Amino acid sequence: NYLKEGDRVLDIGCGSGILGIASLLLGAEYADMVDIDPNAVKIVTENADMNNIPHEKYEVMAGNILDDEKLHEKYSGKKYDVVEANIVADVIVALSPMVPNFIKDNGIFICSGIIDTRLDDVLKALGENGFEVLETKMKDRSIGVILITTKLIELAPDVISEIKLKQQKPLLVEIPDRH
């Protein structure tokens, strides 16, 4: 609902690359993806290839953006339209003061993977770092995983309406069998 054609995306904790690849398939111009697991580089590349994503549309790196100063600097200068993180609450809380360095004014920070018992901690950290919650969704109460969409500063109401009404393209993301 928040990704626009031509956006530049940063996927933190990319894992298999599902969020970054989906963003590219939905019209993002470019995606940077980073994960602490070095295997992510190979897996993301395989998944991007299976979805016919050209290598020049993305870059994937292994490293810990929380404590690797060079990695942090690499992404700080780019100012992304959308930052995505499907990670546990502790990491989102730790990332909250860093994300404003990665995101454009009016940029969107989408974080998910948050269990319901940690929602208040995440919302507090986001609020303390200049984010306003646009939307919170819980897909399944039994799992308790929450998605929070925030913005760094307020978007004009007509821009929000335009973004929310944009028709989505179907996703064709395949994940290879790791067995």
Side-chain angles (χ1 to χ4, degrees), residues 34-36 61-76 98 102:
V34 62
D35 197 284
I36 198 165
M61 300 209 41
N64 186 341
I65 201 165
L66 290 173
D67 62 15
D68 183 330
E69 196 171 307
K70 287 184 181 177
L71 198 58
H72 185 270
E73 285 176 23
K74 175 182 177 63
Y75 298 118
S76 289
M98 294 180 165
F102 307 141

Side-chain angles (χ1 to χ4, degrees), residues 22 25 39 48 51 65 74 83 87-89 100 129 131 148 152 154-156 158 160 164 175:
L25 291 172
N39 291 322
N51 285 279
I65 201 165
K74 175 182 177 63
V83 175
I87 286 184
V88 297
N129 290 286
F131 291 97
I148 302 171
L152 192 53
E154 186 157 344
L155 291 169
D158 57 324
I160 293 171
K164 287 183 179 178
I175 308 299

